Amino acid sequence: MRSTDSSAHATRPVLLLGAGSRPYREHLLQRISAVHPVVLVDSEPSTWATPYLRREVTVDLADAEALAVAVKQLNEETSLAGICTYMEHYVEAAAQLAGTLGLPGASPASMAACRDKARTRQVFAEHGVASARSHLVADEDAAVEAARSLGYPVVVKPRAMGGSAGVVRADADAEVREGFRRASWETVLGLDAFAVRGVLVEEYLAGAEISAETVVLGPDDVRIAAITRKRLGAEPRFQEVGHLVDAADPLLGDATVARTVVHAVQALGIERGVLHIELRLTARGPVLIEVNARPGGDLIPHLVRLATGIDLAQAAAALATGTVPDLTPAHRRAAAVQFLYPPSTGVVTHLSTPASLRFERWLDRMVWTRHPGDRVTAPPHASIDDRLAHWVVTGADRAECDWRIAQVFLQVNAQVSAAAHTTACTR
């Protein structure tokens, strides 16, 4: 175990498991560190998080025994106020460690049920929660049999992955077999080291996809802080190309959505935490896709704060320390993020936007996440790692955000060299 002190604080610190990548996670750590001193435990020293930390400790997060020893020692040295994570990889570990140390936290069983999508479906079926019909399958033949029993189209997906990695729509037996093979190996952000392997074949749900950004204050106090409208790429993949949060979204007052979310949370036995709950709005009503036991990725908590003033990062830290977060909306606006995928597979040769764009007050950020010389893969086979850039805009409502997203698109110049020719993404 290696540790370094970066500053001294007078109050008890929060232990954070995993820093994550700066473009997508800095906003969360920044908000947590604004109200709590933070001790980061991560598998490798962070290249960017140090200014936000009281202390940094390096230990293999995949080694449960070594992690438990390191955290016990930290608690003896600093008297931790709580343990939290915004990384999907570590939600079970955070719950287990909090329980061992007698700190506030969710139950390990509920976190394990969220991480294992097969278990999630089983729990939902037992409690009558509206959810996709699902089969855990062991091989290609079983996958085809399950697909035929459900009826085409179906969705083939990994049992415990994230970021839509390995998730595909299949309309025929051959596509199911191909989907099974892909779901058996595909990973994202190293999540395979913390995931139980397996493949699910599920009922295809037709309808718009949303997520309910949910705060659980207790078993009978479940609150939806915001609704996120997801923008998905073309099927058969389900790549997330953008998100939008509107403080005036009518679904915030939809009783059926609220009941479905509460039913799911209570069925899983989650009594504390900030959750990212994904649903499809189908002809039979809202249907659960999955429950993620941490704040949403893809800058969604940042959109929520811009649109409503509700700080989900600080809410998560408050719950981890046994205090009640402030969930009072401070304003009613809208905010959206858009992700730029490469126009073709190849090597990035040029990325630019006009300098004048930075002076637009409604442009919250424009971030390049790849650089000239990087090799990237275009949709439909692209992953989160292939995104070239993202930008966040604010506006009075959804329509204004959509217009501003489009204005940035028109000014983006991204070129990728594919084999002997160059493909440009210039709008």
Side-chain angles (χ1 to χ4, degrees), residues 131-171:
S131 175
R133 293 173 293 152
S134 178
H135 297 278
L136 178 64
V137 296
D139 53 43
E140 291 181 31
D141 290 338
V144 169
E145 182 179 348
R148 290 175 177 175
S149 70
L150 290 169
Y152 287 107
V154 296
V155 173
V156 184
K157 64 196 296 185
R159 182 176 182 175
M161 205 46 61
S164 300
V167 183
V168 64
R169 168 177 164 159
D171 293 82

Side-chain angles (χ1 to χ4, degrees), residues 215-223 271-273 319 323-325 327:
V215 182
V216 183
L217 302 177
D220 299 313
D221 194 352
V222 180
R223 306 186 191 183
E271 298 185 351
R272 179 189 301 269
L319 291 169
T323 58
V324 179
L327 302 177

Side-chain angles (χ1 to χ4, degrees), residues 105-150:
S107 74
S110 66
M111 298 298 94
C114 291
R115 283 290 299 120
D116 184 348
K117 293 177 174 60
R119 176 60 181 154
T120 302
R121 295 290 187 226
Q122 181 183 6
V123 169
F124 286 168
E126 291 170 354
H127 289 81
V129 178
S131 175
R133 293 173 293 152
S134 178
H135 297 278
L136 178 64
V137 296
D139 53 43
E140 291 181 31
D141 290 338
V144 169
E145 182 179 348
R148 290 175 177 175
S149 70
L150 290 169

Side-chain angles (χ1 to χ4, degrees), residues 356-403:
S356 59
L357 193 61
R358 74 185 68 172
F359 299 110
E360 297 289 0
R361 297 182 64 182
W362 45 261
L363 182 63
D364 175 77
R365 65 181 61 187
M366 171 76 202
V367 178
W368 295 107
T369 48
R370 300 307 296 263
H371 306 283
D374 289 347
R375 186 161 189 84
V376 292
T377 300
H381 302 300
S383 72
I384 291 173
D385 290 335
D386 293 299
R387 292 170 175 171
L388 302 178
H390 64 257
W391 56 93
V392 173
V393 304
T394 59
D397 52 26
R398 178 176 183 173
E400 191 165 54
C401 284
D402 286 344
W403 184 86

